Amino acid sequence: MIDFTFTEEQEMFRKAAREFAETQVAPYVAEMEKTAKVPAGLVKALGEAEMMAITIPENYGGLGLGYTARLIALEEISRVSVATAMMLQVFALGIEPIILFGTEEQKQKYLPGLATGERLGTAAVTEATGGSDPTGIRTTYRKDGDDYIVNGRKCFITNAHIADTLTILAKSEDDPKAFCAFIVEKGMEGFRATHEEHKVGMRGCNTGELSFEDLRIPKENLLGEEGKGLKVTMAAIGDVGRGGMVGCALGLQAACLAESVKFANERILYGKPISKLATIQSKIAEMRIDLEAGRLLGYRAAAQHDATGRASNEFAVAKYFTTEAAQKAAKIAVDIHGGYGCMEEYAVSKYLRDAAVVGPSAGTSEIMKVIIARWTLG
Ligand SMILES: Cc1cc2nc3c(=O)[nH]c(=O)nc-3n(C[C@H](O)[C@H](O)[C@H](O)COP(=O)(O)OP(=O)(O)OC[C@H]3O[C@@H](n4cnc5c(N)ncnc54)[C@H](O)[C@@H]3O)c2cc1C
């Protein structure tokens, strides 16, 4: 028999994550919208609540809880702040290559500090010439004795200005088919976080550009085998990246539905709440159907990953469905609010802006379809 229920432990974890989001994250949301900065107090709270530790193995100071727990936490945090969920999602994307491919020394050196939130992580792959196609990147590496010299620029990097430990991808100066993944530390000579983006939505997470000018990286910071860095990066994006965006999208869908239900029950027209109108009921039902379906897809993929260690295709399906559904839900939520939906004091106007940003991260919907078609066609 297929068991679709969460365990008692998972339910308790969800309750704790929801309480954390409502009490520790919610107070920062207005400030983040206004300043587009990640408050230091929020990072500290996330660390203390062990939100950074979820997927890090226990012997490196983490909770070793796996993908279902991570999805629960991201969904609950995203219901309150998609931006904060996004920050956490890319944090995990940055550290997964260390968990999967790191040497014992690298794991001992980086993971405990990342698990407590003392250090923030990120993944830097995208460049102006390499987003959907990471092989198009122009950041290069060359050997210099035992070190590597890296030159190039990255764009659209989450946590760019606040990360201490970054996993980056570079291409060989001599061989366009050879890539290396490296661990870069803030403060290394030649490394700079440069332009800060001003996004239409998810304003409360930091996104920006990075510059590497003759950045000298010691061989101890190479992740996986020299020349095989694309495999290192794609292994993390396939599961952690897509899975994380599912969490962001589910939380946003849930928030859109909750605000719409509240408004529909409170807004009186023709002497009764608009929730009595058949068209409003139809919109609410559509949102509910998409949320239920998205949860089934997302948690199935997460459970599969917990059981087998791999679910990148299943996460592609879930990512496609939930990010599209989040955009649809935000549009419906604004519509249900009538003119109020266009006003900034109503949360749904923010949800619509946030929804515009959940699409491209960790691969666009078109790229998800390419992956799903390849999987299906064999
Ligand atoms: C808020 C935000 C945070 C991000 N954070 C990070 C981060 O932390 N680290 C990081 O490395 N990157 C990050 N990214 C980058 C993200 O991964 C890329 O934006 C994404 O992969 C798309 O790449 P692109 O923007 O270059 O678009 P392009 O690749 O230029 O795509 C343009 C259009 O072409 C379509 N397209 C491309 N290829 C195909 C194809 N084969 N078939 C059909 N259509 C196609 C795309 O779907 C899209 O519609 C972030 C992006 C955003 C918006």
Side-chain angles (χ1 to χ4, degrees), residues 86 90 123 125-126 131-132 156-158 199 357 360-362 364 366-367:
M86 179 71 175
V90 182
V125 180
T126 304
S132 301
F156 301 158
I157 307 306
T158 307
K199 302 186 297 299
V357 187
S361 314
T364 64
E366 287 75 24
I367 293 301

Side-chain angles (χ1 to χ4, degrees), residues 252-295:
L252 184 53
Q253 280 182 260
C256 290
L257 180 57
E259 283 301 308
S260 299
V261 167
K262 185 166 164 274
F263 186 86
N265 281 329
E266 285 170 2
R267 176 74 172 150
I268 308 292
L269 288 182
Y270 318 107
K272 57 188 182 200
I274 59 167
S275 57
K276 301 283 181 207
L277 300 172
T279 47
I280 299 290
Q281 289 177 359
S282 166
K283 287 178 199 290
I284 296 280
E286 260 183 68
M287 292 164 98
R288 178 75 188 250
I289 292 163
D290 283 351
L291 179 57
E292 298 281 344
R295 280 192 176 134

Side-chain angles (χ1 to χ4, degrees), residues 99-132:
I99 296 172
L100 291 179
F101 295 91
T103 61
E104 190 51 36
E105 288 73 29
Q106 288 169 341
K107 290 179 188 176
Q108 302 264 9
K109 183 172 175 187
Y110 295 106
L111 294 180
L114 289 159
T116 58
E118 233 170 276
R119 300 180 72 84
L120 263 186
T122 196
V125 180
T126 304
E127 298 179 15
T129 54
S132 301

